[in-house]
C-alpha cells in the first residue's frame, strides 16, 4: 500500500469524471461492496462521461477505519487516462482537524477548471474531445496534531505525493533521462494549513523530481509560525474560521510548544497565553525545530533570503543541515530550492485574502519566491479566510490563469 515511515496506510480520496479512469469497470467491480452501503462516498452505478457527474472513491485503507478494509482499493489498481491533469490536494484545519473529504467549495473551484478547457487557446483539440476530459483530484488525509505532531503530517503528504508521482500512468519517472517527460500534468494545491503542506511538498518534489510538477497553488496558506505580523492584529477577529488565537494554538500543537517550568516548579500543565504574543514568541523560538533558524537570524540580524539559505553553519558545527532541512518542512521560505527560474520549475500561484489573519503569510511567501526568481503569480481577493474563494473579485482571473497552465499542451 501507500505507507509512511511507520508503515501506516495513507487514506486518499479521488474525485473525477468516470472518463478519467481507464479501468473504471474493474474499479467499480472491486468496489462492489459499496453498493449495499449507505456511505455518501459510494460511486453511482453509471458510466456517465460528463464532468459534472463525478464519483468519489476511497482508494487506500486509512487511519480512521471508517469502512472495512475490504471496501478500500489499492492505489496501484487505479489507472488514469493519459493526459488527465492530476491535482494533489491537502485539506485545511490548522494541522489539528479536517480530512480528505473536506472542502466542498474547493472541489467546486476545481470543477470550474474542467469547464475552462474548451476555452483554452493553447489547446489544439476540438471542443467535443475537450468535453470528455476532466481533472483528477486526489485529496490526502494526513495525521493530525496534537496526537501526531510535526513531522508526521508532512511525512504522510510527501509519501503520498511521491507514490502518486511514481505510480501514476500520466508520468514516468526516469532518472537517467533527467525526468524529461512532456506528458506530466501534476499539480499540487492546498488550503490554509494544507496550503503550507502544498508549498512544502511542491518545493520538495521540485527538488526530487524536477520538471514533474507543473504548478503549486497555496490558497490562504498558513506559513509563519510567529503569527505576529500586521494582518494578525488587523484581522484578528475578522473570520470565525481562522482567528489569530486559534492559529497560534495550532502552531503550538503542531510543533509541541510547552511552557518551561521555573526551578522548583513541578506544575507540568501550564498553558501558553496566546494573547501574550511576546510569551508565545519566546516559547516558539526555544523550540528545537526553530532553533537553527533563530541562531542564524541572530547572527545575521536580518531575515533569511534565498542566497543565505544553503550550507550554513549555525552553531559552530553542532547544528546540522538535517536539522535545517526539518525546519524548512514547516517554514519553507527560509530554504527555497535553487533554479526556481529554470525551465523545469513549476509556476506558483499564491492566493491571499484581504481580511484574513494569514494574509501576510501568503504575501511573505510571494516576496521570498520573487527574490529567488520564481515564476510566481499572486492573486489577492476581497474577503476573509476561505470566504473570498466564493466571492473574491479575482476568482475568475485566478481560475483562468490556472486553467491555462493545466490545459497547456493537453490534447
Amino acid at each position: 500500500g501507500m505507507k509512511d515511515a511507520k508503515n501506516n496506510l495513507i487514506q486518499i480520496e479521488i474525485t473525477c469524471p468516470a472518463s478519467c479512469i481507464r479501468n473504471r469497470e474493474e474499479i467499480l467491480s472491486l468496489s462492489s461492496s459499496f453498493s449495499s452501503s449507505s456511505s455518501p462516498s459510494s460511486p453511482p452505478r453509471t458510466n456517465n462521461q460528463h464532468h459534472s457527474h463525478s464519483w468519489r472513491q476511497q482508494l487506500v485503507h486509512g487511519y480512521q477505519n471508517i469502512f472495512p478494509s475490504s471496501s478500500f482499493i489499492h492505489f496501484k489498481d487505479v489507472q488514469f487516462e493519459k493526459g488527465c491533469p492530476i491535482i494533489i490536494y491537502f485539506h485545511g484545519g490548522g494541522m489539528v482537524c479536517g480530512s480528505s473529504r473536506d472542502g466542498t467549495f474547493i472541489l467546486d473551484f476545481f470543477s470550474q477548471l474542467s469547464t475552462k478547457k474548451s476555452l483554452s487557446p493553447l489547446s489544439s483539440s476540438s471542443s467535443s474531445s475537450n468535453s470528455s476530459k476532466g481533472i483528477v483530484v486526489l485529496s490526502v488525509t494526513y495525521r493530525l496534531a496534537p496526537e501526531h505532531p510535526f513531522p508526521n503530517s508532512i511525512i504522510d503528504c510527501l509519501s503520498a505525493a511521491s507514490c502518486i508521482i511514481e505510480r501514476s500512468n500520466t508520468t514516468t519517472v526516469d532518472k537517467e533521462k533527467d525526468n524529461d517527460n512532456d506528458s506530466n500534468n501534476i499539480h499540487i494545491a492546498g488550503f490554509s494549513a494544507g496550503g503550507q503542506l502544498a508549498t512544502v511538498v511542491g518545493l520538495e518534489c521540485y527538488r526530487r523530481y524536477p520538471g514533474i510538477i507543473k504548478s503549486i497553488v497555496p490558497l490562504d496558506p498558513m506559513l509563519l509560525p510567529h503569527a505576529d505580523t500586521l494582518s494578525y492584529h488587523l484581522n484578528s477577529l475578522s473570520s470565525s474560521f481562522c482567528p489569530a488565537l486559534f492559529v497560534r494554538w495550532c502552531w503550538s500543537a503542531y510543533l509541541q510548544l510547552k511552557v518551561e517550568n521555573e526551578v522548583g516548579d513541578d506544575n507540568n500543565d501550564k498553558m501558553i497565553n496566546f494573547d501574550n504574543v511576546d510569551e508565545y514568541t519566546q516559547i516558539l523560538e526555544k523550540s528545537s525545530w526553530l532553533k537553527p533558524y533563530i541562531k542564524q537570524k541572530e547572527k545575521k540580524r536580518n531575515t533569511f533570503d534565498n542566497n543565505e539559505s544553503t550550507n550554513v553553519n549555525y552553531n559552530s558545527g553542532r547544528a546540522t543541515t538535517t536539522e535545517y532541512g526539518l525546519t524548512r518542512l514547516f517554514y519553507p521560505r527560509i530554504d527555497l530550492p535553487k533554479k526556481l527560474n529554470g525551465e523545469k520549475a513549476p509556476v506558483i500561484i499564491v492566493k491571499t485574502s484581504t481580511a484574513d489573519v494569514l494574509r501576510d503569510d501568503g504575501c511573505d511567501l510571494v516576496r521570498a519566491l520573487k527574490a529567488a526568481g520564481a515564476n510566481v503569480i499572486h492573486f489577492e481577493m476581497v474577503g476573509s479566510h476561505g470566504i473570498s474563494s466564493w466571492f473574491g473579485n479575482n476568482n475568475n482571473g485566478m481560475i483562468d490563469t490556472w486553467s491555462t497552465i493545466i490545459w497547456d499542451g493537453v490534447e
Side-chain angles (χ1 to χ4, degrees), residues 30-226:
L30 287 173
S31 61
S32 59
S33 59
F34 276 88
S35 60
S36 59
S37 170
S38 60
S39 165
S41 64
S42 184
R45 289 192 168 280
T46 178
N47 196 23
N48 197 310
Q49 302 294 312
H50 195 270
H51 74 269
S52 64
H53 293 81
S54 301
W55 56 273
R56 296 184 179 187
Q57 174 65 57
Q58 294 294 329
L59 292 183
V60 184
H61 183 209
Y63 304 108
Q64 299 177 5
N65 297 321
I66 299 173
F67 299 106
S69 58
S70 60
S71 297
F72 290 81
I73 299 169
H74 201 293
F75 182 76
K76 69 179 178 64
D77 294 328
V78 181
Q79 299 175 13
F80 298 119
E81 289 288 356
K82 184 177 180 180
C84 283
I86 294 176
I87 297 176
I88 304 172
Y89 176 72
F90 303 110
H91 66 81
M95 305 294 185
V96 299
C97 60
S99 77
S100 58
R101 298 180 178 185
D102 291 352
T104 301
F105 76 94
I106 292 293
L107 292 176
D108 179 68
F109 179 87
F110 290 155
S111 72
Q112 296 179 58
L113 296 171
S114 294
T115 65
K116 294 288 184 179
K117 183 183 188 303
S118 61
L119 304 177
S120 174
L122 298 176
S123 176
S124 60
S125 49
S126 65
S127 59
S128 60
S129 63
N130 288 342
S131 63
S132 66
K133 286 289 186 182
I135 292 176
V136 177
V137 179
L138 300 177
S139 182
V140 179
T141 289
Y142 48 87
R143 286 172 291 177
L144 301 170
E147 293 81 4
H148 302 286
F150 177 82
N152 286 286
S153 61
I154 190 60
I155 289 174
D156 291 349
C157 295
L158 288 169
S159 300
S162 180
C163 180
I164 291 166
I165 289 171
E166 295 188 7
R167 297 186 184 183
S168 171
N169 293 51
T170 63
T171 183
T172 301
V173 178
D174 188 344
K175 294 183 179 179
E176 294 182 0
K177 296 183 179 180
D178 198 23
N179 300 334
D180 187 10
N181 190 330
D182 293 336
S183 65
N184 299 320
N185 201 354
I186 297 180
H187 310 260
I188 298 178
F191 169 66
S192 194
Q196 177 205 135
L197 294 169
T199 303
V200 173
V201 171
L203 295 175
E204 294 302 318
C205 285
Y206 173 58
R207 284 181 167 105
R208 185 171 183 180
Y209 311 106
I212 298 295
I213 306 300
K214 287 186 69 175
S215 70
I216 304 171
V217 184
L219 306 168
D220 295 337
M222 170 183 150
L223 290 163
L224 298 178
H226 286 82

